[in-house]
Amino acid sequence: MIETDIVVIGAGPTGLFTVFEAGLLGMRCHLVDSLTKPGGQCAEIYPNKPIYDIPAYPEIMAGELIDKLLEQIKPFSPGYTLGETAEKLSKSEGKFLITTDKNTQISAKVITIAGGLGNFEPRKPVIDDLNKFEDNGVQYSIVDPKKFQGKNVVISGGGDSALDWAVYLANGIASELTLVHRRDSFRGHLDSIDQINKMTELGTINLITNAEVVELIRSGDSLSSIKIKTQDKIIQKETNYWVPLFGLTPKLGPIANWGLNLDKNNIEVDTVDYSTNIEGIYAIGDINTYEGKLNLILSGFHEAALMAHSAFKHVFPEGKKSFKYTTVLGGIKGF
């Protein structure tokens, strides 16, 4: 069994920053995440997407932000249980016990739910035998772009993720990049749309609009070609990979059965300290809800700081610890 002061469910930006704020107060954290690496959506879905609302960074790539957060919390040596989902919750003798879907058990006095919008599942297109092609040519996310080096790649979608990855892979990675979109206008940032249009004019990207993939064809165990339906014809196109990026569907998962007050898929909290209706359990970041809520990484950082000071009372009920600001001589090394 793993023992810690705070179990942080969710290793995205808000969950990682929780380790820092808790560490300043002498509390140990253990992070649990269903993804196989820390960073949440920033690392898994759009590591090369710029973020603009982080103080002191006019612009920072999502993946770089995660790297900076991991560097920041390194002095506090957090524990990690990755690739597992927090499933069961129980409490005994003043401590919570979390059991994951792989039967890992973690004991702590405080639980902080920082799981973004919950567990995410890709929105899958309705195509016959789609499941037979998953991981054999059909990918719902791009984790390692090198996998597509020299390959013929088709991306479907019209949002930021589809546009960003189309631009990225078309720049010297994929041998051929085709972007298929159901409409003739996009939902992404204007800068990304401009890049798509310019690369289409240059022939770097094959753009097919008012169209959708309707059939997958295999050769052996892997995808070999797809059929694309346009307004007036069917195009059969050879490809190594088809990446449908139609967004993600958030699901609260097993946490929905823990007895927390919910508003749809969000957890209701008290804005004094972002505590839930269960004493000792907090919810911070996009997964919580309250009047005036802003779904910003910046807001999650603020919530993590207030939560940590409240959690301290549960972890160390016997006394009050003086808080040291990070501007004192020696900085973090002085703790």
Side-chain angles (χ1 to χ4, degrees):
M1 181 187 296
I2 299 168
E3 294 189 359
T4 189
D5 295 321
I6 303 175
V7 173
V8 182
I9 299 174
T14 299
L16 294 177
F17 192 67
T18 298
V19 176
F20 177 78
E21 289 295 328
L24 293 178
L25 294 168
M27 294 182 288
R28 296 171 296 119
C29 289
H30 189 94
L31 297 111
V32 179
D33 201 296
S34 58
L35 299 178
T36 57
K37 62 182 178 181
Q41 294 184 69
C42 287
E44 183 74 8
I45 302 174
Y46 46 81
N48 295 293
K49 183 177 179 180
I51 297 174
Y52 302 103
D53 65 346
I54 305 302
Y57 289 98
E59 176 183 317
I60 185 170
M61 293 297 181
E64 184 184 0
L65 174 63
I66 298 305
D67 290 341
K68 294 289 186 183
L69 286 166
L70 289 170
E71 181 182 351
Q72 185 180 34
I73 67 176
K74 192 173 181 180
F76 302 115
S77 302
Y80 295 93
T81 295
L82 301 174
E84 301 184 29
T85 300
E87 193 167 71
K88 298 177 183 177
L89 170 69
S90 60
K91 191 173 184 181
S92 177
E93 298 180 356
K95 287 188 176 183
F96 294 102
L97 180 65
I98 293 288
T99 303
T100 73
D101 58 339
K102 295 183 180 178
N103 291 319
T104 300
Q105 293 190 317
I106 310 159
S107 173
K109 291 185 177 180
V110 169
I111 294 174
T112 298
I113 303 170
L117 292 172
N119 292 325
F120 287 88
E121 296 182 1
R123 291 191 177 97
K124 299 181 180 182
V126 180
I127 291 183
D128 291 341
D129 296 325
L130 179 65
N131 63 312
K132 295 180 181 179
F133 293 87
E134 292 172 348
D135 296 323
N136 287 309
V138 173
Q139 305 275 145
Y140 300 114
S141 64
I142 297 175
V143 179
D144 182 10
K146 295 179 181 177
K147 182 176 183 177
F148 303 93
Q149 187 72 50
K151 302 297 184 181
N152 187 333
V153 181
V154 176
I155 293 177
S156 289
D160 284 324
S161 184
L163 301 185
D164 291 346
W165 280 120
V167 170
Y168 189 83
L169 294 181
N171 274 313
I173 296 179
S175 62
E176 183 180 350
L177 193 291
T178 301
L179 177 62
V180 179
H181 184 38
R182 285 174 283 192
R183 301 178 181 87
D184 56 8
S185 60
F186 297 100
R187 304 185 309 276
H189 290 294
L190 291 178
D191 180 63
S192 298
I193 296 172
D194 287 343
Q195 289 186 71
I196 291 291
N197 290 332
K198 288 177 183 177
M199 295 176 80
T200 299
E201 291 176 5
L202 293 171
T204 311
I205 288 178
N206 301 319
L207 178 61
I208 305 175
T209 57
N210 295 309
E212 60 181 329
V213 176
V214 294
E215 186 178 344
L216 307 179
I217 300 168
R218 70 168 61 239
S219 175
D221 293 330
S222 300
L223 179 69
S224 62
S225 63
I226 60 175
K227 288 186 178 181
I228 303 169
K229 182 180 180 181
T230 68
Q231 291 180 321
D232 55 6
K233 60 183 176 180
I234 298 288
I235 301 170
Q236 183 162 336
K237 184 169 185 56
E238 293 184 1
T239 188
N240 302 111
Y241 290 101
W242 178 44
V243 188
L245 297 175
F246 298 140
L248 300 170
T249 301
K251 293 189 176 181
L252 201 54
I255 292 175
N257 301 316
W258 288 4
L260 299 166
N261 288 341
L262 303 177
D263 181 0
K264 298 180 181 178
N265 273 335
N266 296 97
I267 301 171
E268 295 180 346
V269 294
D270 184 339
T271 53
V272 169
D273 55 5
Y274 303 98
S275 56
T276 68
N277 59 298
I278 300 178
E279 187 174 359
I281 300 182
Y282 299 81
I284 58 177
D286 291 352
I287 203 164
N288 73 16
T289 184
Y290 53 86
E291 186 176 354
K293 170 73 176 181
L294 291 175
N295 287 332
L296 300 173
I297 293 175
L298 177 65
S299 301
F301 290 168
H302 160 78
E303 295 167 12
L306 292 183
M307 178 283 305
H309 282 264
S310 178
F312 179 84
K313 301 170 188 175
H314 294 282
V315 176
F316 299 110
E318 67 281 357
K320 184 177 180 181
K321 181 182 177 70
S322 62
F323 173 70
K324 292 184 179 181
Y325 291 96
T326 55
T327 51
V328 297
L329 183 64
I332 301 303
K333 295 179 181 178
F335 285 84

